[in-house]
């Protein structure tokens, strides 16, 4: 049963929508769901979302997020509803009107779109509708759930550990930093000056940090990865930034994760990437394919983390 001290959340637009005990609970539940998956229809959560409909609205491309949410909904006994991009969120009719329509038909909506503010507007317009952030330009909280689950599986209790994020201070970095701070993990972020984490994110991470977790910003990738337990990177050119790709390749060239950089981390340090990856840009093929690369474990854990999240939002009495 869910811990009675946990608050029932309507939305998950940000890791910051969870408090630290909820994040801990989500990761524990995800691990349990992963262990139970082999039970199939005999799993205790197989009918947890029976009769529930979950809309899925993606304004940007997706392999991992779309597939894992659809499977998660089905494996919990719910019904995914694929909303087409021609909904044209915010263009064909006001965002709030789309939300108020969907609230009459479905229990939750998973949304991948550009603006975090649009997502907030959507969620605020529909008080009965659970809204989940499947990536915005600002945050990618579902990715961070999978990342933390993967780290826990590979290196055990996370409190006091140190990870480095090397590259663009983007949505993935933001949610990783939020989650790590709550879990007591120190984070080193190495980015060139104009692409560092937004100041507001540094302030947020500082505000939610537990167990002395420290966030440090670097401009030198070698300084950031020295002695860390894991090195994380992401694409240098996120969706919507394609016109800047040549410039970004030049600016980020010194931030490639290669064997030389990994050699500065703790022996056996993990390599992490949310995918899709660009070999020869943010990571070399050698590091991507190396024994320390956990990128496909992260991809698998998208499923388990999101199942736990759906249970916490839609069926909080089912679970641990
Ligand atoms: N990491 C991630 O969000 O993958 P997709 O863009 O394929 O969903």
């Amino acid at each position: 049963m869910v811990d009675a001290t946990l608050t029932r959340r309507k939305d998950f637009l940000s890791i910051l929508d969870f408090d630290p005990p909820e994040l801990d609970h989500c990761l524990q539940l995800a691990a349990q769901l992963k262990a139970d998956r082999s039970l199939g229809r005999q799993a205790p959560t197989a009918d947890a979302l029976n009769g529930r409909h979950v809309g899925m609205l993606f304004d940007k491309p997706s392999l991992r997020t779309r597939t894992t949410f659809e499977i998660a909904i089905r494996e919990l006994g719910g019904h995914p509803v694929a909303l087409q991009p021609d909904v044209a969120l915010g263009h064909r009719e006001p965002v709030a009107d789309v939300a108020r329509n969907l609230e009459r038909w479905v229990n939750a909506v998973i949304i991948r779109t550009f603006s975090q503010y649009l997502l907030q507007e959507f969620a605020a317009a529909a008080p009965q509708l659970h809204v989940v952030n499947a990536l915005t330009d600002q945050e990618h909280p579902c990715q961070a759930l999978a990342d933390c689950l993967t780290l826990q599986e590979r290196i055990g209790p996370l409190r006091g550990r140190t990870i480095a994020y090397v590259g663009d201070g983007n949505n993935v970095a933001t949610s990783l930093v939020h989650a790590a701070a709550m879990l007591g993990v120190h984070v080193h972020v190495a980015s060139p000056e104009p692409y560092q984490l937004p100041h507001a994110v540094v302030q947020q991470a500082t505000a939610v940090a537990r167990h002395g977790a420290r966030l440090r910003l670097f401009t030198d990738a070698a300084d950031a990865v020295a002695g860390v337990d894991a090195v994380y990177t992401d694409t240098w050119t996120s969706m919507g930034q394609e016109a800047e790709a040549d410039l970004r390749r030049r600016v980020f060239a010194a931030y490639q994760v290669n064997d030389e950089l990994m050699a500065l981390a703790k022996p056996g340090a993990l390599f992490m990437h949310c995918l899709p990856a660009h070999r020869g840009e943010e990571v070399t093929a050698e590091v991507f394919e190396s024994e320390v690369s956990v990128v496909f474990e992260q991809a698998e854990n998208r499923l388990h983390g999101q199942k736990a999240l759906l249970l916490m939002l839609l069926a909080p009495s089912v679970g641990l």
Side-chain angles (χ1 to χ4, degrees):
M1 293 290 282
V2 76
D3 183 341
T5 63
L6 298 176
T7 309
R8 183 172 188 179
R9 298 290 173 192
K10 182 177 103 62
D11 304 315
F12 185 69
L13 309 185
S14 170
I15 287 287
L16 301 175
D17 284 340
F18 275 170
D19 59 24
E22 287 168 321
L23 180 57
D24 286 337
H25 178 78
C26 187
L27 295 175
Q28 280 182 50
L29 185 53
Q32 183 64 51
L33 290 161
K34 185 170 184 174
D36 287 349
R37 191 172 184 224
S38 61
L39 300 175
R41 296 305 302 161
Q42 306 309 313
T45 54
D47 292 314
L49 300 190
N50 191 21
R52 310 289 186 93
H53 297 280
V54 181
M56 296 175 55
L57 180 53
F58 282 68
D59 282 342
K60 295 183 179 188
S62 172
L63 169 64
R64 281 149 290 272
T65 310
R66 193 199 316 259
T67 307
T68 51
F69 262 117
E70 179 160 347
I71 293 170
I73 295 160
R74 291 187 190 283
E75 289 189 356
L76 295 172
H79 306 280
V81 179
L83 300 161
Q84 301 306 309
D86 62 7
V87 169
L89 200 53
H91 297 288
R92 189 162 171 260
E93 58 191 308
V95 168
D97 288 2
V98 177
R100 291 190 295 172
N101 277 272
L102 287 166
E103 187 179 34
R104 301 296 176 121
W105 308 319
V106 302
N107 303 95
V109 184
I110 314 297
I111 302 182
R112 170 168 286 195
T113 190
F114 293 88
S115 162
Q116 186 82 10
Y117 305 106
L118 182 150
L119 199 64
Q120 290 165 349
E121 181 187 353
F122 185 101
Q128 304 303 320
L129 185 62
H130 297 281
V131 181
V132 173
N133 181 354
L135 179 146
T136 62
D137 290 347
Q138 287 74 36
E139 303 195 31
H140 197 1
C142 294
Q143 180 67 50
L145 297 180
D147 298 339
C148 294
L149 180 61
T150 306
L151 280 165
Q152 278 189 355
E153 289 173 343
R154 282 302 198 115
I155 64 177
L158 297 183
R159 189 183 305 180
R161 297 290 198 158
T162 305
I163 61 174
Y165 178 94
V166 177
D168 192 12
N170 63 9
N171 48 6
V172 170
T174 291
S175 293
L176 182 69
V177 158
H178 287 158
M182 281 193 204
L183 295 170
V185 177
H186 308 299
V187 188
H188 297 173
V189 180
S191 313
E193 283 289 352
Y195 300 96
Q196 290 194 333
L197 275 179
H199 184 59
V201 174
V202 176
Q203 288 182 315
Q204 289 162 344
T206 304
V208 299
R210 287 194 308 170
H211 312 302
R214 280 203 306 154
L215 170 61
R216 297 176 63 196
L217 303 187
F218 295 79
T219 50
D220 188 307
D223 290 343
V225 305
V228 301
D229 295 284
V231 178
Y232 199 127
T233 192
D234 186 15
T235 181
W236 293 337
T237 304
S238 293
M239 289 176 276
Q241 299 170 336
E242 289 76 8
E244 302 171 23
D246 286 343
L247 169 67
R248 283 170 170 269
R249 267 186 220 106
R250 289 194 297 278
V251 170
F252 285 104
Y255 294 82
Q256 184 187 67
V257 179
N258 50 35
D259 286 333
E260 292 71 38
L261 195 68
M262 290 299 293
L264 301 174
K266 190 179 280 184
L270 304 177
F271 170 70
M272 304 183 74
H273 194 305
C274 61
L275 305 180
H278 305 83
R279 294 166 178 77
E281 295 191 11
E282 74 271 11
V283 60
T284 59
E286 290 75 22
V287 170
F288 186 90
E289 300 293 350
S290 69
E291 284 186 355
V292 298
S293 175
V294 293
V295 299
F296 296 109
E297 291 165 47
Q298 291 172 261
E300 176 183 346
N301 285 335
R302 296 297 305 275
L303 173 63
H304 312 300
Q306 288 158 201
K307 278 172 104 169
L309 173 65
L310 289 169
L311 285 179
M312 289 176 70
L313 296 178
L314 290 166
S317 62
V318 179
L320 290 173

